[in-house]
Amino acid sequence: MDVVEFRSINQPDHFIRHRNFLGELTRQDRPREDFHFTVVPRGRPDLVSLRSKNFPKLFLRHRDFRIHLEGPSGPEDQLFAKDSSFFLVEGLADPNAISLQSFNFRDRFLRHRDFHLVLEPADSDLARRDATFVKEFPSVIIDEPVGIPATD
């Protein structure tokens, strides 16, 4: 499975990330892995969960309509399975992008509000833009080799 990032279309220098076990929208900084997710299929091509790259047992899920980074409380945690599943749909504000529609609250989408990730209806132009993201592959950072002498 590929590692991806999700860039906001209306805040194009901001990406979905987890920080302090909450979903946020920020500029990229370190640790870069906080912005990286694996898209995990949930039984059909358009139903997915977003698993953290650097905490591979944890997923983005909604609880009380706020996005958290959490894992299931056990193998039979059906509420967690529902809360961490999203339909990957055509972008609400851009057909070339994507939106994440809640599996168990079909009228709600993952969106950012005040740079926090929440689950809310996309009932305005602003909400539709806030709920639209570009799925991208992370850029590779190549560091300079340390301790290797330059040759002439």
Side-chain angles (χ1 to χ4, degrees), residues 6-24:
F6 295 92
R7 180 173 47 85
S8 169
I9 67 153
N10 62 346
Q11 297 287 335
D13 59 344
H14 285 65
F15 293 77
I16 288 177
R17 65 136 357 140
H18 62 82
R19 181 175 23 195
N20 299 322
F21 299 98
L22 293 170
E24 303 290 346

Side-chain angles (χ1 to χ4, degrees), residues 40-43 47-50 59-62 70-87 101-106:
V40 179
R42 289 292 187 193
L47 187 61
V48 300
S49 291
L50 303 180
F59 295 80
L60 291 183
R61 64 93 56 104
H62 65 84
E70 296 180 349
S73 61
E76 302 299 320
D77 190 345
Q78 293 300 310
L79 181 59
F80 174 83
K82 292 175 183 176
D83 289 351
S84 64
S85 295
F86 299 90
F87 290 102
Q101 180 183 24
S102 172
F103 171 77
N104 53 347
F105 291 93
R106 300 284 174 93

Side-chain angles (χ1 to χ4, degrees), residues 50-61:
L50 303 180
R51 181 173 58 204
S52 169
K53 164 94 167 62
N54 54 346
F55 294 99
K57 293 182 180 180
L58 304 181
F59 295 80
L60 291 183
R61 64 93 56 104

